[in-house]
Structure formats: C-alpha cells, structure tokens
Amino acid sequence: MGERAIHHRTCHLCEACCGIEVHVADGAVTAIRPNPRDPLSRGHICPKATAIADIQTDPDRLRAPMKRTGTGWQTLDWDTALDEVAARLADVMGRHGTDAVASYSGNPSAHNYAVTLHASGLLRHLSRRNRFSASTVDQMPHQLVSHWLYGHMAMFPIPDVDRTAFMLIVGGNPLASNGSMWTVPDVRQRLTDLKARGGRLVVVDPRRTETAKIASEHLFIRPGQDAAFLAGLLLALDDQGLAAPDRLAPMLEGWEAVWSALRQTSLATMANVCGIGVDDIRRLARDFAAAPSAVCYGRMGVSVQQHGTLCQWLIHLVNIATGNLDRPGGVMFATPAVDLLPHTNPGGW
C-alpha cells in the first residue's frame, strides 16, 4: 500500500466555498468528499466539488502557457511567457496609455486567496477604467446600491436564513446557485428548516425554479417587471400603515422623499404592470410586516435586467421599511474573516 492522506480544504468553484476532504493516495486524488465538521457547509457539497479530481486530471487541461500564432498554438515555458506578456503590455501602454489595456477576473480566481492577495499589485499598474470580472456581469447593482446606502460597495447585508421567520425571494434561485451574494451552502436544508420551524418561504419568479418548487407559495410575475412589484409592495406597506423602520428611523436620510416619489404612482398601477394582483401584494405586505423577522432577497432575475439597480434599491427599502435591516432573522452585516473595510464596523450598522 502506498502513502495515503486526507487533506481538509475548501472548494473554490463557487461562492458557497464548501468544506471538502481531499483523499490522496500515492500523490493522486482518489476521492472528494464533504467535510461534516465544516461549520458553514455542514457536510454538504454539490456535483461541482466531486468533479475536482476530474478537472485535475482532464487531458484537455492546460498545463503550460499557450501562445496563439499564425499557424496554431505554441507551448511556452513560464519565463518566456511572462517576459512576452510584460513586454507587450509595456509596449501597448507606452504607445496608447493604460486605458488601452483591460483585465478580467472570473471564478474560481475570485475565491482564491493567492489571486486575491496578489492580483491587486498587478492591476494597480493597469487600467483603472477597464477592469472587468464575473461581478461586472451580474452583481454591479448590488455593489452600487451598497455604496449609495451604506457608504461602501462591499457592505452587503446578508439574509439571516437560519433565524428568519419569513423569506421572500424575488428573481433568485439559491437551490441552483448555493445562494449567490449570500454564501449559504446546504441552502436546501436551511430553507427546509425554515419551513419546519413554522416559517414561510415565498418565491416571486416567472419560472417554476427549483427553489419555487419547495416554496410555501410561488407567485408568477411578468418577466422584467420586478421593480413594479417591489414598488407595489412598498406602497402596500404604506397604504396599510405598515412602513415602520423603528430604530433605524434616526439614521435615515431622505426617507420622506422616497415615499413622496413612490406615491406618484399607485398600487393598482404597479400590480397591473407586474401581473400580480393587488390583493396578493397587500396580503404579502401584511404577512411580511407581521412576521417576527423577515428577509427580502433578490439575485440574478432582478439584477440582470433593464431595472436591475432600481430593483436592488427597492429590495433594501423593503427590508429597511419593515425594520429588518441589521436585525437577527433579517439581513445583517457579516463579520468577515479578513476586514477589507478597516474604517467601518461590518458587525453592526
């Protein structure tokens, strides 16, 4: 028998970052299994993690730098490749300026400590205008709204799913994404636990998604009209006297201006636009406001559309208007392992 070992690592293929056990024999990965002692993923992994060994040994995997030439692809050693890239970058920036260069960072590099620590040292010498990533594809509305409301684009309040009594998901499918912009592995069990303790899960989506199939209630919406639904939900809270930010009120600036703008339209108009009835929106507003704690969460379906930023802003307003911002069972600012915001207090608003 050769040497065998089990290494405890984190799967970095998506945001969930589940804990895994990497079983190795004679220097080769023999199995990828969930780590039942991981406090976040609690023994859960998805098919992506189990395929890490296949990615490692895939015959099509690039194992050296490749250069495209006029006749095909040429394999280079690392020193030659780095020298050529550096020389070409310096030449382009020297002739056309730094904005002639663009960069793109995607998954899983976003969940890789080495890349996170060292990429900024390179990127600060390149264009500041042309930096793209997986984030610019689908989460800029989140970051812009966080900047406007809380002062920094990385200040994301996270749904406290393990303690909430009511979860409203608009245009999100965490059973497929593992909770994007939420980082919640084993989300199916967490949502099942929510219902088991008497809570409610309501999904608003034009499609019967995997998450909608396990929801307490699924409301179909006209595609792309989520902003109308969310504005209607706020108007329903207002009409019924349920908009009560309570302890948050002293910290709110421009709050009355928000309601003045919303009151330029009507709940009936918004219901007609989004395709969800007035009575359903009123009932949902009452139930959300009456819950001991509640969360409104929206993801891809509300972000990657014409009114993505408006949708995310309105989602925050729903949580604020019902007093569920920075509250157990609502949406809360997490305490990170590494504090990227030294002049803020992510653990409390």
Side-chain angles (χ1 to χ4, degrees):
M1 295 290 290
E3 182 180 356
R4 295 178 178 272
I6 298 176
H7 302 277
H8 294 92
R9 298 291 185 265
T10 298
C11 173
H12 62 284
L13 294 181
C14 85
E15 182 189 328
C17 296
C18 297
I20 58 175
E21 294 180 347
V22 182
H23 293 247
V24 177
D26 298 326
V29 177
T30 59
I32 303 290
R33 294 175 182 163
N35 179 3
R37 292 178 292 174
D38 188 280
L40 184 63
S41 57
R42 310 183 305 185
H44 168 82
I45 57 174
C46 80
K48 293 195 293 293
T50 60
I52 288 178
D54 297 328
I55 296 172
Q56 180 82 6
T57 59
D58 193 308
D60 292 330
R61 179 185 174 194
L62 293 180
R63 289 172 168 77
M66 304 291 290
K67 177 182 178 180
R68 187 171 62 181
T69 68
T71 58
W73 291 93
Q74 174 188 358
T75 302
L76 300 179
D77 63 82
W78 277 104
D79 287 342
T80 301
L82 291 171
D83 286 345
E84 285 201 21
V85 170
R88 291 291 300 277
L89 283 173
D91 176 60
V92 169
M93 290 189 293
R95 288 186 291 120
H96 304 290
T98 56
D99 286 335
V101 176
S103 63
Y104 180 87
S105 302
N107 293 341
S109 62
H111 312 126
N112 183 298
Y113 287 135
V115 176
T116 301
L117 289 171
H118 298 292
S120 60
L122 170 65
L123 295 178
R124 66 189 177 91
H125 297 292
L126 305 179
S127 172
R128 293 183 179 273
R129 296 181 55 189
N130 300 321
R131 295 186 186 179
F132 306 99
S133 68
S135 299
T136 56
V137 174
D138 63 62
Q139 71 183 51
M140 283 298 104
H142 292 265
Q143 294 178 324
L144 181 57
V145 170
S146 291
H147 171 70
W148 283 342
L149 289 178
Y150 312 122
H152 195 283
M153 67 177 189
M155 288 288 286
F156 302 118
I158 306 301
D160 185 11
V161 63
D162 293 327
R163 292 186 288 183
T164 195
F166 193 114
M167 182 139 200
L168 172 62
I169 298 178
V170 187
N173 187 17
L175 261 64
S177 68
N178 289 315
S180 179
M181 301 296 292
W182 183 3
T183 311
V184 56
D186 198 19
V187 66
R188 178 187 289 273
Q189 186 60 52
R190 286 179 152 95
L191 293 176
T192 300
D193 292 343
L194 160 64
K195 295 194 296 178
R197 62 177 180 263
R200 290 187 63 202
L201 169 65
V202 178
V203 171
V204 176
D205 202 289
R207 187 172 71 90
R208 193 163 185 260
T209 64
E210 293 86 344
T211 307
K213 290 176 183 177
I214 70 164
S216 309
E217 181 179 8
H218 176 204
L219 296 171
F220 289 92
I221 188 171
R222 188 168 291 122
Q225 301 304 325
D226 305 88
F229 164 74
L230 292 163
L233 186 62
L234 285 162
L235 286 168
L237 290 169
D238 185 43
D239 291 347
Q240 299 174 98
L242 300 174
D246 299 329
R247 62 187 174 77
L248 300 173
M251 295 177 277
L252 300 177
E253 296 180 9
W255 191 239
E256 289 307 316
V258 168
W259 293 105
S260 178
L262 284 168
R263 291 164 187 157
Q264 299 295 314
T265 184
S266 68
L267 172 55
T269 299
M270 296 296 97
N272 183 60
V273 171
C274 73
I276 299 177
V278 169
D279 290 343
D280 282 331
I281 296 176
R282 284 186 179 277
R283 173 179 55 82
L284 188 59
R286 288 196 301 271
D287 293 347
F288 192 93
S293 58
V295 171
C296 183
Y297 163 81
R299 188 58 190 104
M300 288 289 288
V302 292
S303 293
V304 188
Q305 58 159 280
Q306 182 179 5
H307 305 295
T309 301
L310 176 59
C311 286
Q312 290 299 338
W313 182 62
L314 292 170
I315 285 171
H316 282 268
L317 293 187
V318 170
N319 289 320
I320 293 170
T322 53
N324 283 294
L325 174 67
D326 199 32
R327 169 188 179 186
V331 288
M332 303 188 71
F333 295 103
T335 301
V338 178
D339 188 0
L340 300 178
L341 311 176
H343 301 298
T344 65
N345 177 19
W349 198 49

